[in-house]
Amino acid sequence: MKLNRTMMLCLCIVLAVAMATTGTIAYLQDSASDVNVMTMGNVKIEQIEQERDENGDLTDFTQGKPAMPAVGPIGWADEHLVVGDHEVKVFTEDLKNVIDKIVTVKNTGRSDAYIRTIIAIEAPNGDPNDLLHVNHNHVDYVQAPSWTLITLDGVEYVYACYTYKDILAPGEVSAPSLIQLFLDSKATNEDIEAFGEEWEVIVLSQAVQAAGFDDAATALNEAFGEANVQNVTEWMGGAKAESPYVDNQADLDEALKAGGEVILSAGEYTIPGNVETPVEIIGFGPDQTIIKIDGNVQNVVVK
């Protein structure tokens, strides 16, 4: 499945996505595709991305914007931004070079729906440098898991999942999940060169009928599966995750003999023995940890 690779981020995520004050520029850019949603049951949704024009009115988001370091004090404006039936905080106008990226989901079908949006952010070497600041909606959405490393077609990303707390009725538009972002002034040419000319974020929104389910997380997990590394990799259109997904000690013991990478679900695991080869943790979150094993690794406890 091809997905619309769309710019979307979350507050306080820190990534090396930047331009230096002299020369190098990264452009916020979508990849061409006409599919950015997955639905189950009798539901239909549309993912909407907007910005404010010079008059403060909402209009379609413009791709290919240069990411310029912010100038001025960081603070919240006294007046909130109105998006449909919702109000959200925005940064003060004294902070220059802030980019609007207002992402919502509309229920275009005839049934009540639960929705969630999954965001995969390109992160070379999985190395956050405290350069990117984002304004997101933590009131109307639940984030889980926290940012976790995945690889899509040879490129490293971190991803997180945002589940809307309310049922989205037919014709309704959700509160924004992402609102704004800006680049820290300390970004260097070396930081931005790791991304090339374009910096990519992939966004996928999912929806399932609300009828028959007590809550959004249960409904969405039953319809599509949990937002773990394997599933998100496939949903985002990348090659199927090669790392074995492990949720018990016996399977981990087998993986230790084979080496390679292992994705551990939540739990406690022991790697016995006394060999010098270390276990390298290459990605983590509240529900899973990715470890890289070089042969028979021993004398390490993973929790």
Side-chain angles (χ1 to χ4, degrees), residues 13-24:
I13 195 69
V14 286
L15 295 171
V17 180
M19 75 158 273
T21 55
T22 57
T24 307

Side-chain angles (χ1 to χ4, degrees), residues 116-290:
R116 68 183 177 192
T117 298
I118 302 160
I119 311 146
I121 307 168
E122 185 179 353
N125 303 316
D127 183 21
N129 288 336
D130 299 321
L131 299 178
L132 192 64
H133 303 262
V134 183
N135 173 14
H136 82 130
N137 185 346
H138 58 85
V139 175
D140 298 296
Y141 290 84
V142 175
Q143 177 186 348
S146 58
W147 297 99
T148 301
L149 183 68
I150 58 174
T151 301
L152 302 175
D153 298 329
V155 178
E156 289 185 322
Y157 295 74
V158 290
Y159 83 91
C161 178
Y162 287 85
T163 301
Y164 197 46
K165 294 180 180 179
D166 296 331
I167 290 175
L168 195 64
E172 286 187 346
V173 178
S174 71
S177 50
L178 172 70
I179 304 155
Q180 297 170 296
L181 66 152
F182 68 88
L183 182 65
D184 198 280
S185 60
K186 67 184 178 183
T188 67
N189 281 340
E190 288 74 18
D191 290 325
I192 195 60
E193 285 173 356
F195 291 83
E197 294 183 358
E198 294 181 1
W199 169 65
E200 189 171 52
V201 176
I202 307 172
V203 175
L204 170 65
S205 291
Q206 298 175 325
V208 63
Q209 76 278 358
F213 295 101
D214 293 332
D215 61 84
T218 300
L220 290 157
N221 286 344
E222 183 167 327
F224 302 103
E226 295 183 5
N228 58 38
V229 171
Q230 279 192 319
N231 287 336
V232 170
T233 299
E234 295 184 47
W235 295 337
M236 294 294 183
K240 185 175 181 179
E242 296 179 357
S243 304
Y245 194 80
V246 172
D247 60 7
N248 60 75
Q249 184 66 46
D251 287 346
L252 177 58
D253 292 340
E254 291 299 315
L256 291 173
K257 297 176 183 178
E261 294 182 4
V262 173
I263 303 171
L264 300 178
S265 62
E268 296 189 6
Y269 308 88
T270 301
I271 303 176
N274 55 8
V275 173
E276 296 180 355
T277 308
V279 166
E280 179 185 0
I281 297 177
I282 60 175
F284 59 91
D287 301 317
Q288 56 213 346
T289 296
I290 309 173

Side-chain angles (χ1 to χ4, degrees), residues 43-117:
V43 297
K44 294 182 180 180
I45 59 172
E46 176 187 0
Q47 188 169 279
I48 303 170
E49 300 165 12
Q50 297 175 298
E51 63 187 35
R52 289 173 293 176
D53 62 19
E54 61 274 10
N55 298 318
D57 298 323
L58 293 178
T59 186
D60 291 342
F61 180 75
T62 304
Q63 303 296 338
K65 292 182 177 180
M68 305 291 289
V71 177
I74 300 174
W76 297 112
D78 292 333
E79 294 186 6
H80 289 181
L81 173 64
V82 177
V83 182
D85 296 329
H86 306 276
E87 293 187 3
V88 290
K89 290 182 177 181
V90 291
F91 293 116
T92 175
E93 292 183 359
D94 293 334
L95 183 63
K96 307 300 182 183
N97 298 330
V98 174
I99 300 173
D100 284 352
K101 182 68 177 178
I102 304 161
V103 179
T104 58
V105 173
K106 182 177 181 180
N107 185 343
T108 59
R110 298 181 179 181
S111 302
D112 290 345
Y114 286 123
I115 64 168
R116 68 183 177 192
T117 298

